[in-house]
Every structure is written in C-alpha cells, then in structure tokens.
Amino acid sequence: MAACFRLRGCGAPRLPPAPRGRAPLRRLAGAPAGLPAALLRTDGFVGGRWRPAAATFPVHDPATGAALGQVADCGVAEARAAVRAASEAFRSWRGVPAKERSSLLRKWYDLMIQNQDDLARIITAENGKPLKEAQGEVLYSALFLEWFSEEARRVYGDVIGGPARDRRGLVLKQPVGVAVVITPWNFPSAMITRKVGAALAAGCTVVVKPAEDTPLSALALAELADQAGIPPGVYNVVPCSRQKAKEVGEALCTDPLVSKISFTGSTATGKILLHYAADSVKRVSMELGGHAPFIVFDSADVDRAVAGALASKFRNSGQTCVCSNRFLVQRGIHDSFVKKFGEAMERSLRVGNGFEEGTTQGPLINEKAVEKVEKHVSDAVSKGATVVMGGKRHQFGKNFFEPTLLTEVTQGMLCAHEETFGPLAPVIKFDTEEEAVAIANAADVGLAGYFYSRDPAQIWRVAEQLEVGMVGVNEGLISTVECPFGGVKQSGLGREGSKYGIDEYLELKYVCYGGL
Ligand code: NAP
C-alpha cells in the first residue's frame, strides 16, 4: 500500500527533494526556554515529507513580541504539490477499512494526550492564551480525534424498497475527496482537528493552511500524525505568511483536484472562499464570525448569570467566535447584574503573560486586534456609554487590553452590531422579552446565543426564537465534541463535531439495483 501514497509526477510542480519522515529537527532560533524541541517544526509537510520553502516568515509571541522562529513561507507551487499529494493519497486512503482509519486516528489522539503539556506550551507561545486554557484546548482538540475515530466505524448506508418488485435502492456513503482546511489563530489546534478528524474518518485526505500567527501547532500535529502512522499525503500542511494567504488560498480552493473547502474564520474571508467554491462547485463547510447575545431576564439567578457571563466573555481574552459580544439585561435585574459582574471581573480576571501562574487574560493576538477593541470603546463612550471598568490598553504590554465593562450601551454603537473579538462587555438595558429577542436577532450573523431565565415557558420560547445555531440556557460554556457546532445566517454553513460532523465529508450515492 505504501507505494500508492508516493507523490508521483503527473504534472505536480517539482519541489526540491526533501527527506522522508523524520528529518533532522530544525530548532526554532530564540524559542523561549521550555518549548518542546521535539515538536517544533518549521517546514511545510507535504506527502509525508518536511519541505522547506524558498522564503520564510517570522512567528512571534504576542505577549512579548519575541521571535519564536522562521517558518516556511509556502507559495502556490507548494500548495499545488500538497493538493497533488493529497489526491494521490486519497486513492488508497478511501479504501482503507474504517477500523484501520479508526485505529490510526486513535493513535494520533493518544500521542496528543501524551504530549498535552508540550502542545499547550506551543499554543501559549504563539497565541498567548493562558497555559491552563491552552491545556484545555489540547484536550478539546484531541477529543475530536478520539470522537471521529469512533464515528469512522459508524457510517451506514440504506436499503430502500422501491416501487418495482425487481428493484431495490441502495444508498452508499462515500468520502468527498481532497479537502482544503483553512483555519484561524484563535484555536490553533482544535479548529484543525475538528475538521481533520471528521475528514480522515470519512476517508478524505486534507491540505491544511493554518493562520500566519499560529502555524506551529498545525506543524506539531503533523509531527504527531507522522508518528501515529497516518500515511503520507493524508495530512498535509502548507503554512504561509499573511501576504501570501490570498494566492495560496486561491490556488488551494480553485484546484480541480479539491472537492471540499472547510474554513473557519471571518465572514469576510468566508465569502471570498465561497466565490472560489462556486466557480468549480465544491462542497463547503463555513464556520464564520459571531456576535453572540447574552440575555439576562428578570427571572434569572443573577449569580449563575454572572458566572456564565465571565466564562463566555473572557475565555481567550474574548477572542472566541462564541464569546458573548453584547449583554442584554432586563431593567429589573440590571443594576444588580452589573454590580456583581463588575465585582466578579475585578476578583477573577488577572492580566499577564500566559506562562505565568494565575494569569487568566493573556494578550490579544496582535496590535490590530487591540486597535479594534479601542475603537469600539471610544465609539461607545463618544455616543454616551459609561465605563464601569477598564476601557484602555493594559500597561502589561502593547497587545494587552484591560477587561472592560460598559453600561448605557445603545444599538447605534459599533460594539452593539460588530464582533469585537476582545475583552469588552457592553451592557444594553431592555424592558420586554420581545424587545430582547428583536435586538438579539437584528444581527446578520447567528452563531451562539445565551440567556438566563428560571421561567420554563420563557426558556422554550426564547430558545426557539433566537436566530443562532447554538443556544446556552443558564450556561455560558457550550462547546463539546458530542454536540453540533455551527451557525445560521452569515455565521456559516454546515456543522462540526457530533454525529453530524462526518456527513460534511461524505457524499450520498444512490444505486438502483435491478433484475432481482
Ligand atoms: P480570517 O482573517 O478570516 O483568517 C482565517 C484564516 O483564513 C487564516 O488562516 C487566514 O490566513 C486565512 N485567510 C485570510 N484571507 C484569506 C484569503 N483571501 N484566502 C484564503 N485564506 C485566507 O479570520 P481571523 O481574524 O484569523 O479569525 C477570527 C474570525 O474567525 C472571527 O470572525 C471569528 O468569529 C471567526 N471564528 C469562527 C469560528 C467558528 O467556528 N464559527 C471559530 C473561530 C473563529 P492569515 O492568518 O495568513 O491571514
């Protein structure tokens, strides 16, 4: 079988020969002490080989600005070669029995768990999130491999009795083909395995383009995939600089050998990729931006609501797509919620370097992200909002922002209708349930929504009326591998995780079996 996975000519762009499998490790120059040399890879990973590129780009620690190393800046040639390798590998991988694919995914999962601390250190170094959160991400990420290793064996078809005595309809489920996987920096590991676990389980092969800010986690996953015995060409990674993202993205997403585009990132980029998909009619999964409402009704348990607000707002310094982006609080409970929320923020949030014990709020990913939060705060204040807490850059460093609580926020302010993606909690006061639902649904995106209520009838009504893909009722943390993740409206298309996630990588084929 190994021969089937070898990268052949067939018009594939020629790349410099590279060592197979475990090439000598190129250590990251200047990497902070404590980063795991064994998992630090800087070359692209194509057809089971580590491939340098003609140029490199730097990766920085967003907390200190320190250079973590130089990573291969793959271009169009490397992207095409990766697609070719994935296409070659697909011919064999699709026929590997589900039980074997399952075992390989399970081995990859085991290796992630064995290396959990090292993988977490890489995430904290390149993304900035506190080490404890990074450890949580590695576990969450690994669980997608475990989950889909189990789902790989549960792909069933159908037998359908047709209108004629001598015929039966069969429905086969078959892998879609080569999937391009483009991921953001905010979950450098989990956004990859959530897609790749499902794709590999279904029998697809993948080419991953990670974000410029966080390629090291994707490459560490490649090292572990190789160690787990995932065949060459099944998991490929082409890191590239932001400058090349457009041309590499276009090369990947328009390649006729690619059948599926799976993207997590901003709605703006998602729309560009949808255009590429339309031109060659490719399958798509789009996990795009959010603008989650967090509604606190008068009937809520205020302490529980405050705990949920903290958890849903400040994880990853507010940089998750399901982070609450606006707090809608009913008049009767408003003052008590704001007071307790402010006290809880003061008590529980500590800004600092993610490697320091006790830090809960790391840096934002880069200065542009800080500028966006700053802009949302100044716009709100200029239109009448009150700063209860925070409101400016944090003295810890240039990418840090103070956890901020604003009240008297109104619909006309930027933070009320745009995703902030930072540690800003704007509170809007409302009077009736209808008003809250109308404000919540006024957004053109609909990923997650949260509300707190102890009125069962209200819980049913509001859960059904919110125009989002995921609802947290009296709960601020909702993501789990067993449940479907995804949005409605401009938050995207398709679902990841859960028993539905694998369907995104499967085609249905109807076979009419006659002459019976
Ligand atoms: P982004 O700018 O759209 O980037 C996401 C990925 O797309 C990165 O790898 C980026 O590369 C790449 N990219 C950018 N322009 C491209 C192009 N023209 N062609 C191909 N690839 C391109 O998003 P982001 O700012 O990194 O991430 C934050 C956004 O992601 C937020 O809106 C958040 O809500 C959303 N998100 C959604 C989910 C979800 O599951 N729904 C989960 C996490 C995040 P570079 O890094 O090199 O620019």
Side-chain angles (χ1 to χ4, degrees):
M1 191 175 77
C4 310
F5 286 108
R6 218 161 274 145
L7 183 61
R8 294 205 199 96
C10 311
R14 296 264 170 218
L15 292 173
R20 217 342 244 126
R22 218 134 304 136
L25 289 168
R26 294 211 292 160
R27 268 182 160 230
L28 291 180
L35 282 193
L39 292 178
L40 284 176
R41 289 291 198 160
T42 53
D43 291 337
F45 189 67
V46 174
R49 294 164 193 259
W50 294 102
R51 302 241 179 207
T56 60
F57 66 93
V59 180
H60 293 110
D61 176 346
T64 61
L68 297 173
Q70 293 287 333
V71 170
D73 195 2
C74 295
V76 170
E78 286 85 357
R80 292 208 177 116
V83 169
R84 177 72 58 189
S87 177
E88 289 285 331
F90 177 63
R91 291 187 205 168
S92 299
W93 183 246
R94 65 179 306 170
V96 171
K99 191 169 185 317
E100 272 179 47
R101 289 202 301 267
S102 168
S103 301
L104 289 167
L105 281 168
R106 174 73 203 200
K107 275 188 199 151
W108 198 5
Y109 160 80
D110 289 339
L111 285 169
M112 282 192 75
I113 296 299
Q114 281 165 30
N115 290 278
Q116 185 175 358
D117 286 345
D118 285 346
L119 292 169
R121 296 187 81 76
I122 293 174
I123 291 177
T124 296
E126 64 179 353
N127 165 283
K129 68 177 67 174
L131 197 52
K132 212 166 156 202
E133 270 191 46
Q135 284 161 345
E137 178 180 344
V138 176
L139 179 61
Y140 179 55
S141 176
L143 287 173
F144 283 110
L145 297 183
E146 182 194 46
W147 173 260
F148 284 113
S149 77
E150 293 157 356
E151 289 299 287
R153 300 173 68 187
R154 302 204 177 93
V155 175
Y156 306 108
D158 298 299
V159 180
I160 303 171
R165 278 176 189 278
D166 65 344
R167 278 194 227 160
R168 295 291 180 273
L170 309 180
V171 179
L172 312 183
K173 289 191 180 176
Q174 297 185 313
V176 167
V178 175
V180 161
V181 167
I182 301 182
T183 53
W185 46 265
N186 64 342
F187 286 91
S189 179
M191 292 305 97
I192 294 176
T193 54
R194 196 162 75 177
K195 298 169 184 305
V196 171
L200 267 55
C204 296
T205 56
V206 298
V207 178
V208 177
K209 192 217 88 59
E212 180 201 62
D213 296 303
T214 58
L216 300 177
S217 295
L219 295 169
L221 282 175
E223 170 63 29
L224 295 180
D226 195 36
Q227 287 180 22
I230 304 281
V234 171
Y235 177 81
N236 305 277
V237 186
V238 283
C240 74
S241 62
R242 189 149 290 138
Q243 216 181 354
K244 284 195 185 157
K246 189 174 180 307
E247 65 191 68
V248 167
E250 184 169 3
L252 292 173
C253 296
T254 58
D255 194 309
L257 293 175
V258 170
S259 306
K260 162 94 191 181
I261 301 170
S262 183
F263 172 70
T264 294
S266 64
T267 299
T269 305
K271 287 178 183 177
I272 295 172
L273 304 189
L274 280 168
H275 279 286
Y276 295 149
D279 280 344
S280 49
V281 193
K282 297 189 196 307
R283 290 269 300 266
V284 292
S285 293
M286 293 279 147
E287 295 288 348
L288 309 177
H291 181 36
F294 186 106
I295 308 172
V296 186
F297 289 106
D298 280 347
S299 68
D301 173 336
V302 71
D303 293 320
R304 197 177 169 91
V306 165
L310 264 185
S312 82
K313 175 69 252 181
F314 292 104
R315 199 159 53 109
N316 205 2
S317 296
Q319 302 173 108
T320 86
C321 53
V322 291
C323 271
S324 296
N325 203 57
R326 52 210 165 119
F327 290 81
L328 316 182
V329 186
Q330 202 158 11
R331 189 172 297 276
I333 202 170
H334 177 274
D335 292 354
S336 146
F337 174 81
V338 168
K339 180 169 176 293
K340 289 189 170 194
F341 191 21
E343 286 167 359
M345 284 170 63
E346 189 81 58
R347 203 173 46 242
S348 327
L349 303 179
R350 203 182 116 196
V351 176
N353 188 308
F355 281 110
E356 279 167 20
E357 184 76 30
T359 293
T360 65
Q361 303 292 287
L364 301 193
I365 191 68
N366 51 38
E367 196 160 17
K368 214 170 133 217
V370 177
E371 282 163 9
K372 186 168 189 192
V373 186
E374 213 167 26
K375 185 172 152 202
H376 279 197
V377 173
S378 65
D379 169 80
V381 170
S382 75
K383 291 173 181 162
T386 304
V387 179
V388 179
M389 239 189 103
K392 56 185 192 309
R393 290 175 186 239
H394 195 281
Q395 60 195 22
F396 196 85
K398 82 175 165 96
N399 289 343
F400 291 81
F401 203 90
E402 295 176 344
T404 297
L405 179 59
L406 297 182
T407 54
E408 313 304 327
V409 171
T410 56
Q411 284 281 77
M413 299 174 186
L414 269 182
C415 62
H417 55 85
E418 249 187 33
E419 190 182 29
T420 306
F421 234 55
L424 166 61
V427 179
I428 301 171
K429 202 184 285 176
F430 70 87
D431 287 300
T432 65
E433 180 185 307
E434 292 70 26
E435 190 189 347
V437 170
I439 295 172
N441 288 345
D444 57 9
V445 290
L447 192 58
Y450 309 84
F451 67 92
Y452 281 69
S453 166
R454 282 182 290 193
D455 171 350
Q458 180 175 55
I459 288 175
W460 274 111
R461 273 196 310 273
V462 177
E464 288 184 0
Q465 285 171 15
L466 282 181
E467 294 170 359
V468 294
M470 297 168 283
V471 182
V473 181
N474 298 323
E475 186 53 64
L477 290 178
I478 57 176
S479 304
T480 173
V481 298
E482 294 85 358
C483 296
F485 191 104
V488 300
K489 296 159 99 177
Q490 293 190 30
S491 283
L493 300 165
R495 291 295 179 270
E496 294 190 331
S498 78
K499 66 174 181 173
Y500 304 104
I502 199 166
D503 293 339
E504 301 282 327
Y505 298 89
L506 291 167
E507 291 284 11
L508 296 186
K509 182 186 278 177
Y510 160 52
V511 178
C512 180
Y513 197 149
L516 298 178

